[in-house]
Amino acid sequence: MMARPHLSLGDATVFVLVALILAAAVFGNLLAPEATFSSDIGNAFLPPDAQHWLGTDSQGRDVLWRVIAGAAPSLLSSMLVVTIYSLIGVVVATLATVVPRWLDEGLMRGTEIGLALPGVIVAMGFASAMGPSLASAVIAMSITGWPITARLLRSITRQTMVAPYVQGAQVMGVSRFRLMTRHVLPNSLDVLIIKWSGDVSITILVLGGLSFVGVGAQPPSAEWGAMISDARSYVSTAWWTAAAPGAAIALTAVSFSLLGDILQRRLGGAGASGGARS
Amino acid sequence: MTGLAVTDLCKSYPAAGGGRREVLKGVSLRIDKGECVGLIGESGSGKSTLIRCALGLEKPDSGRVDYEGSFVHEATGPDLLLFRREVQIVFQDPFASLNPRMTVEELVGEGLLVHRIEPSRARRRACVAELLGRVGLEADAMHRYPRAFSGGQRQRIAIARALAVSPRILVCDEPVSALDVSVQAQVINLLADMRSALGLGILFVAHDIGVVRYLCDSVLVLAEGRVVEEGPTETVFGDPQHDYTRALMAAAPVPDPAEAKARRALRRQQREAARGSEP
């Protein structure tokens, strides 16, 4: 067995970045001054200076504080989406593992149909039906994201099912429920943590994109995609209004993606099965 | 007195190039309580499939498995529960047969819990401590995870786990072949002790003739899905009829140099004879 790798400088940087972004998401709204959300037209489009580190936007609001306050709608909504569809994926994979073969086949064909349904299109449908909002984008992404997780997990639970300790538990007569919850799932879900982190990275991009095209979060929300959408008319004159939220999206997506890689390296080990991300 | 009886078991799997590969071609065996039956056979002879069918993990194509007069593959309710309690298994690889996410207490106590033998946690803990003592482990081992133990210790935990539900029949699937030679004897002796103390019936699957000879009353030799030889251990090994049994006996190490030399000569002779018979 390989010894646990030391905490390298690179890994530490990623952990610190993720911790900072999470702190911004949780506390950003509480710490941000009132002016983050109210307009002050007299101070619009100030370039970055000592008082406004990242300048001000079209409404005279401080861009840095808006980016910090935007961590909550951008990141927490992505984490919520991935958490919801991961749970759906676990339930579907678990069912597929315990039910008779024909029902398993049926579930997997259903999953394939789900795979063919792009979340972005469904989100646009939801936006036109329920009105564009972050909530409708979150719901649409949550109910379309699970098939890949379900398929990945089912292939892993199937491998776990033939492990001698699972067979031994069957010989001992444990119930199917106990077999899954105590023996199969605890030994199959490592990969989920890794995949969760990578998926958060992708979902931030998608939710930001949806807000950018106007079917996600709406202004005056400080959601990063909405901020970029708001700023795109002024890019040539006030580049910082678009660059700051853009950099925030990129930094967050890269941080969570790297976190996924680090988790895979540390938890997955050489023998771990299944890819971390799709 | 009836134990576990396998009658005329056939099982085939889909083969790689289409068609089906017959793994078991009408195998019968029976184990009564208190009796120790050895099952030997080379890799691919169908041993594992036979065990999986006999334990009800897999459905045979034809033939039947009975336990205490009920048909295992159709048993439900109390009959199935009785079977699941009274027939247990110890696997070959103790590194794969213990759930790594459960403590020793949970592993050994699981049978007591699921069969509602000791529903109270405190009583179960006392029971686990006693079982661990019986297999030669300290009681405080129960708070640790399997990864903290050596192969031999893990196999003792696996045996304690199986014995917790007071089984009548214990299937041992090459229980010592993954262990160091020095530890093998300890585990074998433990099984022998348990057998005489508890009246346990044992189906002992092995490659090692010495162990089978030491432990088993009777022995079956499986080759290509058929029982090619069976009978009391000394009769079978005293006068082996089948080629595989002879080859196995010739391969077993002997502690006498003169005897070993004679064996080597015999093997060389057999090889040459085999070469000569080829066209």
Side-chain angles (χ1 to χ4, degrees), chain B residues 165-245:
Chain B
V165 289
S166 318
R168 303 284 173 187
I169 308 280
L170 189 63
V171 176
C172 300
D173 186 2
E174 305 194 30
V176 294
S177 55
L179 304 179
D180 287 346
V181 177
S182 57
V183 185
Q184 287 188 0
Q186 297 172 10
V187 173
I188 294 295
N189 284 330
L190 175 63
L191 285 172
D193 291 348
M194 292 301 148
R195 180 195 165 196
S196 51
L198 307 171
L200 207 57
I202 296 180
L203 175 61
F204 193 89
V205 183
H207 273 118
D208 186 338
I209 289 211
V211 174
V212 173
R213 240 181 175 163
Y214 173 70
L215 202 62
C216 300
D217 312 308
S218 63
V219 63
L220 282 94
V221 181
L222 201 63
E224 288 167 7
R226 284 200 181 83
V227 175
V228 293
E229 212 163 336
E230 66 177 306
T233 309
E234 282 319 310
T235 317
V236 170
F237 290 146
D239 182 21
Q241 299 297 313
H242 194 265
D243 286 346
Y244 174 67
T245 323

Side-chain angles (χ1 to χ4, degrees), chain A residues 1 162-175 178-179 182-190, chain B residues 52 55 57 81 83-84 87-89 91 96-102 106 110-111 113-115 161-162 165:
Chain A
M1 280 212 181
V162 299
Y165 58 82
V166 174
Q167 311 236 306
Q170 283 175 299
V171 169
M172 190 154 268
V174 308
S175 65
R178 186 178 168 86
L179 191 74
R182 293 307 309 273
H183 295 274
V184 178
L185 289 179
N187 291 293
S188 303
L189 294 184
D190 274 357
Chain B
R52 292 177 53 78
L55 291 170
L57 290 172
L81 216 58
F83 176 70
R84 287 293 176 227
V87 180
Q88 293 300 326
I89 183 165
F91 286 99
S97 63
L98 298 174
N99 184 340
R101 300 289 164 99
M102 287 168 86
E106 290 170 318
E110 184 164 45
L113 178 71
V114 299
H115 288 285
R161 173 178 158 88
V165 289

Side-chain angles (χ1 to χ4, degrees), chain A:
Chain A
M1 280 212 181
M2 227 172 64
R4 198 163 267 250
H6 287 294
L7 186 65
S8 70
L9 190 63
D11 290 4
T13 313
V14 171
F15 287 139
V16 168
L17 272 176
V18 168
L20 281 176
I21 295 166
L22 280 173
V26 176
F27 302 112
N29 274 310
L30 304 172
L31 298 177
E34 195 66 24
T36 309
F37 306 102
S38 59
S39 52
D40 176 10
I41 301 295
N43 282 324
F45 298 128
L46 292 178
D49 63 14
Q51 202 196 337
H52 301 289
W53 290 6
L54 293 177
T56 60
D57 67 0
S58 61
Q59 307 293 313
R61 299 169 293 199
D62 184 278
V63 172
L64 176 60
W65 274 116
R66 278 183 69 73
V67 166
I68 291 172
S74 305
L75 178 61
L76 295 187
S77 60
S78 302
M79 287 164 59
L80 183 68
V81 164
V82 178
T83 305
I84 291 173
Y85 79 59
S86 297
L87 288 177
I88 299 175
V90 171
V91 171
V92 172
T94 307
L95 281 177
T97 313
V98 294
V99 296
R101 173 139 278 199
W102 61 270
L103 207 56
D104 172 29
E105 289 288 329
L107 272 171
M108 285 303 114
R109 295 299 85 77
T111 304
E112 272 154 26
I113 293 170
L115 267 178
L117 211 62
V120 175
I121 305 295
V122 174
M124 291 186 172
F126 266 67
S128 63
M130 297 167 46
S133 71
L134 187 58
S136 69
V138 164
I139 294 171
M141 296 295 292
S142 300
I143 60 175
T144 52
W146 58 270
I148 294 176
T149 307
R151 284 237 307 220
L152 173 69
L153 271 182
R154 176 177 160 278
S155 73
I156 294 170
T157 51
R158 262 186 119 168
Q159 281 175 23
T160 313
M161 280 298 278
V162 299
Y165 58 82
V166 174
Q167 311 236 306
Q170 283 175 299
V171 169
M172 190 154 268
V174 308
S175 65
R176 277 191 205 178
F177 181 78
R178 186 178 168 86
L179 191 74
M180 292 310 291
T181 55
R182 293 307 309 273
H183 295 274
V184 178
L185 289 179
N187 291 293
S188 303
L189 294 184
D190 274 357
V191 71
L192 197 64
I193 301 166
I194 299 160
K195 184 170 163 50
W196 184 90
S197 181
D199 281 12
V200 167
S201 160
I202 295 164
T203 307
I204 282 175
L205 294 176
V206 176
L207 278 180
L210 286 172
S211 299
F212 179 76
V213 299
V215 296
Q218 300 296 309
S221 167
E223 203 276 336
W224 296 331
M227 281 178 74
I228 299 177
S229 174
D230 190 40
R232 74 190 139 169
S233 334
Y234 323 112
V235 169
S236 54
T237 50
W239 54 269
W240 54 90
T241 52
I249 290 177
L251 189 68
T252 309
V254 168
S255 299
F256 274 83
S257 179
L258 289 175
L259 180 68
D261 291 347
I262 294 169
L263 289 176
Q264 173 161 44
R265 195 152 21 86
R266 293 183 159 250
L267 302 176
S273 50
R277 279 170 294 147
S278 49

Side-chain angles (χ1 to χ4, degrees), chain B residues 3-21:
Chain B
L4 184 67
V6 173
T7 316
D8 228 5
L9 210 64
C10 294
K11 177 76 185 174
S12 63
Y13 292 104
R20 295 184 77 79
R21 204 172 81 82

Side-chain angles (χ1 to χ4, degrees), chain B residues 64-84:
Chain B
R64 49 188 292 154
V65 180
D66 296 90
Y67 181 70
E68 297 290 310
S70 72
F71 187 15
V72 166
H73 289 91
E74 280 170 10
T76 49
D79 285 346
L80 183 63
L81 216 58
L82 184 80
F83 176 70
R84 287 293 176 227

